[in-house]
Amino acid sequence: QPTRSPIESITTSSPTVSPTLSPTPSPTTRPTPSPTPSPTARPTSSPTPSPTPSPTMRPTSSPTPGPVPNVGNPTSISCGNSYRYCIENGGDRWQPQLCVPSDSAYEVTLHTCGYQDTLSDTRIFGPCANDDNQAACSALGLAQGTNPRYQSHCSANVISAGQCFNDVSIGGYGSSTGCATVNVVCEAVAAPPPPVTNPTQISCGNSYDYCIDTAQQRWEPDLCVPSDSDYVVTVHTCGHSGTLSDTRIWGHCANDDNLAACSNLNLATGTNPNLQSHCDTGVVTAGTCLTGFQVGAYGSNTGCATLTVDCTPTTPLALAAEKADGATNGAESKDSGSSLAVTATVVVAVAATLTLLALLAAKRRRARRDDPVEVQHVDAIDEVDLEWDTMYTSTGTV
């Protein structure tokens, strides 16, 4: 048999023009069994340095569409309860209505002390205001939880029984977002007394509470005296224990401070005795009502005080004299004219004497305040008048 050569010559139909200058050093032993049907035209210039080794084995079946809307904050809050609230956007505020029970007035305290949640810094805007109050939280034993130094605590003014507030406003500091807890603490307080309505008329022998609510305000009652006599009227605030620190009287008599007169009445007591007022109006005609009488406070002071009206009659026997004259006219047919004339004269004289004594008594009060020498002078006159009065009344005619 003929021997075959190890390399057989095969004729190529389209021979290479020239041999490859850079042949593959390690050619593939066999072609790729499953070539890419649509290979990339050119390789990627920036391939992924660390491609995912394999796709996610358990993808989320219903991915979250976005943040959950805040629909859980309550619309009203009440005493003794705690409420979780959430602030979604920086600057947002939760504004519930706050109502207190109807059995009493209350002081309301709001605080976030001791909460543990996602809001990093709480703030209260109304009805009281506070950002950080670690001291108050420590006093409650609640300086704990989320950022204790940024927790809030404040107290509102007294809220009337059964009242609701719509100005509660709670949130976070600056652009802080998240959730926290606010506590509503209520302490019952005594209801304030009803406002005093200043009377429109004052009279002898009575005391009247009055209030000055605004600076320079004046109370202007009518001052009326009985119709049985003329009177010397004294008005004063001596011994009052109200809230008005400095009283003052204007009008038919005027005085600011009169400690001496109040001391003479043993009434240098109460609210600022050295700033209490006392003055005499002089003689007021029987049955007269004086207008233009004014009571108030010094300067811009406000508050309440008590005014006392004391009256001293000046003609206590004037009406008796008139009755005696009437009786004399009715009995003229039975008694002698001279005897009736003497009786009427004595009655009138006694009435005049007592009138003079009443005037001197008023003068003595003023003198006792102002001048000790004048007191002695008035006392001397009184002794003479008393002797004269005794001489006429000892006859027993009246």
Side-chain angles (χ1 to χ4, degrees), residues 119-143:
L119 184 57
S120 61
D121 191 346
T122 62
R123 189 166 185 176
I124 300 172
F125 299 90
C128 58
N130 178 252
D131 179 18
D132 308 323
N133 199 337
Q134 186 175 8
C137 293
S138 297
L140 296 176
L142 292 175

Side-chain angles (χ1 to χ4, degrees), residues 87-104:
I87 301 300
E88 293 182 352
N89 304 303
D92 282 356
R93 297 183 185 182
W94 170 43
Q95 296 179 304
Q97 183 184 62
L98 168 62
C99 298
V100 301
S102 58
D103 60 342
S104 173

